[in-house]
Amino acid sequence: MTEASAPIEAQQEDTLTPPSVFDVAVIGSGPAGSQSAVSAAHQTRSVLVIEAGAVSQRKGRAFWSKSVEFQDAPVFPGITGPRLANALTAWMSAQVGRMVTIGGKSRHVGIWRRGGMVLRVTRVKPAEGVHAPAGHLFAIEASTRPLKAGTKLTTERFLARSLVVASGFEDIWPDIDITEGADRLYQTHRILFRYAGNRKGWHVCIRCDGHLHLDEHIAVVASGDFAWSIARGAQDFTGHITILTNGADPDFSDARRATLAERNIEVITEPITAHIGKGTDLLGLKLSSGREVFADGFFVDYGLKANREYLATDDGWDLKTDDEGLLVVDEDGAVVGADGIAVPGLFAAGDIVAGQRNLIATAFGLGQNAGLSAADLMRDW
Ligand SMILES: Cc1cc2nc3c(=O)[nH]c(=O)nc-3n(C[C@H](O)[C@H](O)[C@H](O)COP(=O)(O)OP(=O)(O)OC[C@H]3O[C@@H](n4cnc5c(N)ncnc54)[C@H](O)[C@@H]3O)c2cc1C
């Protein structure tokens, strides 16, 4: 097995018995979650990291950069998504969960990693004598075994005094060449995913991958504000841009139409029916009329779905979000409730946070802020 294709470790093997209540639980171990966990563990907190990648196809946005190296992530000179995931795992392993004695008192510190898809988070009353700085504990229910047809869901419950939500979001993909009847996202978009995250393929971030297509032909598959913002970003890299709305109304104002026409940016509104590819290279797209449009890179934006389904309104989570469902946080990384007040003990970091750049360095920064805020909460005085 090559280093790039090595799977994310399910969980660490050398664990000391974990505490019954963790100081900090982190959901997701992308750049934001890993940094939150390391920052909190570095302040002598016991940290549980729950990551869905070990039990599901949900592996984080960074993982999608299958063969394209990140060139702008801190410290790493150039690294693909799968290798970054492994590097983050190794980094967390250096803070392995253990017992330390401070001021004559022995306590758990460090990181315990578990493979699990978090399904539900609720607030519970702490048992007598259990320190709960937010006034409650977080009960985290996760599915901890890969789901196979015909098998029962295996769930486990974990308790923590504070929670960092770092589960990012899923990009929404256009329905081109979909496998009808498939019930999982990854099966439905099998053909599209063959080309995603490769140099000549689907890209989701012009800031990240625009540099791969210097002076080449960039196709933008989107409409409205999404298309406009990719096309604006794309001009830094090339003068050859085509917008394909895939049957949708382009939704551009007259002023925007005039600007696109001035820059010779063609807007094609025909539906896209199929990919034209070779191996893992995407070469072009076939349109409903039979016309074929060839390009060197394909940038798509159909919006996103925030990975926070486990914070359900029915369980009392009434949180402030932006139009896309991303969480609003204050300067400490604390999640803000619909009433505008920070929710005690609940923090968020990375792509799941509203109004931030969806990039690795930003995720690390937000992760550090949330991890330290969660750690600070444990102090008695
Ligand atoms: C193709 C591609 C190329 C990119 N290129 C660049 C680049 O060149 N430079 C750059 O700076 N950025 C790039 N990005 C963006 C970058 O990957 C993200 O901004 C970054 O990964 C965000 O980090 P995060 O930790 O917030 O979220 P993620 O990396 O998405 O991690 C979230 C984690 O949470 C886990 N998770 C989700 N739901 C659950 C759940 N219910 N229970 C448990 N775990 C869960 C996921 O499995 C995942 O591991 C790229 C993104 C893509 C898709």
Side-chain angles (χ1 to χ4, degrees):
M1 184 180 290
T2 62
E3 193 187 348
S5 65
I8 296 177
E9 267 178 78
Q11 58 199 61
Q12 65 208 50
E13 284 157 17
D14 52 345
T15 46
L16 172 88
T17 309
S20 53
V21 180
F22 290 90
D23 290 328
V24 183
V26 179
I27 304 179
S29 67
S34 306
Q35 176 72 64
S36 299
V38 168
S39 290
H42 201 221
Q43 305 306 312
T44 69
R45 302 301 182 249
S46 60
V47 183
L48 169 70
V49 176
I50 310 182
E51 166 56 48
V55 299
S56 76
Q57 290 293 338
R58 196 180 275 187
K59 299 191 194 296
R61 289 188 87 230
F63 203 82
W64 276 108
S65 228
K66 292 186 290 208
S67 60
V68 177
E69 292 181 344
F70 302 120
Q71 293 188 355
D72 58 346
V75 184
F76 305 103
I79 189 164
T80 60
R83 287 181 57 211
L84 176 68
N86 287 337
L88 295 176
T89 301
W91 185 40
M92 285 187 285
S93 299
Q95 296 275 351
V96 68
R98 60 202 182 276
M99 295 299 288
V100 297
T101 304
I102 301 171
K105 278 193 189 160
S106 177
R107 69 173 197 241
H108 290 87
V109 307
I111 300 173
W112 280 258
R113 287 181 293 109
R114 286 302 309 262
M117 168 78 82
V118 175
L119 303 174
R120 191 172 177 218
V121 173
T122 48
R123 279 181 267 228
V124 292
K125 233 176 110 188
E128 189 80 21
V130 172
H131 178 52
H136 59 258
L137 297 178
F138 294 87
I140 301 148
E141 202 177 306
S143 149
T144 49
R145 291 258 159 84
L147 262 193
K148 292 202 185 91
T151 59
K152 257 183 65 189
L153 191 71
T154 309
T155 60
E156 288 181 61
R157 189 169 177 266
F158 306 93
L159 292 175
R161 299 182 172 89
S162 65
L163 179 66
V164 178
V165 173
S167 40
F169 62 74
E170 302 297 303
D171 294 286
I172 296 176
W173 298 91
D175 287 343
I176 304 171
D177 270 338
I178 55 162
T179 307
E180 299 285 354
D183 55 353
R184 301 267 182 95
L185 180 78
Y186 298 88
Q187 288 157 356
T188 309
H189 295 284
R190 214 163 27 92
I191 299 175
L192 188 150
F193 287 166
R194 184 190 309 156
Y195 306 114
N198 292 320
R199 188 188 182 285
K200 277 183 87 64
W202 287 110
H203 306 288
V204 294
C205 166
I206 190 71
R207 286 276 153 262
C208 309
D209 293 347
H211 70 98
L212 297 169
H213 299 292
L214 276 190
D215 216 21
E216 293 184 344
H217 182 193
I218 285 181
V220 175
V221 179
S223 55
D225 287 346
F226 290 140
W228 178 254
S229 119
I230 302 176
R232 266 177 66 80
Q235 357 159 43
D236 294 345
F237 307 101
T238 185
H240 192 181
I241 303 165
T242 304
I243 296 175
L244 295 109
T245 70
N246 190 19
D249 175 356
D251 200 14
F252 295 133
S253 63
D254 289 345
R256 285 185 175 183
R257 272 177 207 277
T259 306
L260 295 172
E262 218 174 90
R263 283 166 175 69
N264 290 323
I265 299 178
E266 189 186 359
V267 180
I268 302 173
T269 55
E270 257 184 75
I272 302 166
T273 53
H275 294 87
I276 306 169
K278 191 172 176 208
T280 55
D281 284 350
L282 178 59
L283 307 176
L285 297 168
K286 196 166 182 175
L287 309 182
S288 58
S289 64
R291 180 180 169 189
E292 295 177 338
V293 176
F294 292 90
D296 301 289
F298 299 79
F299 287 79
V300 61
D301 196 342
Y302 267 59
L304 58 88
K305 190 177 166 296
N307 290 331
R308 52 169 194 82
E309 55 285 333
Y310 48 80
L311 291 168
T313 321
D314 283 355
D315 286 322
W317 299 110
D318 194 9
L319 307 175
K320 188 168 179 178
T321 61
D322 70 2
D323 292 347
E324 295 189 285
L326 300 176
L327 298 171
V328 174
V329 303
D330 69 9
E331 66 278 10
D332 295 324
V335 174
V336 174
D339 56 2
I341 299 168
V343 180
L346 184 64
F347 302 88
D351 278 2
I352 192 116
V353 173
Q356 302 288 335
R357 289 193 187 276
N358 299 324
L359 292 169
I360 293 168
T362 310
F364 279 126
L366 293 169
Q368 185 178 53
N369 191 32
L372 288 179
S373 297
D376 286 352
L377 197 72
M378 300 306 130
R379 249 185 247 125
D380 278 343
W381 54 269

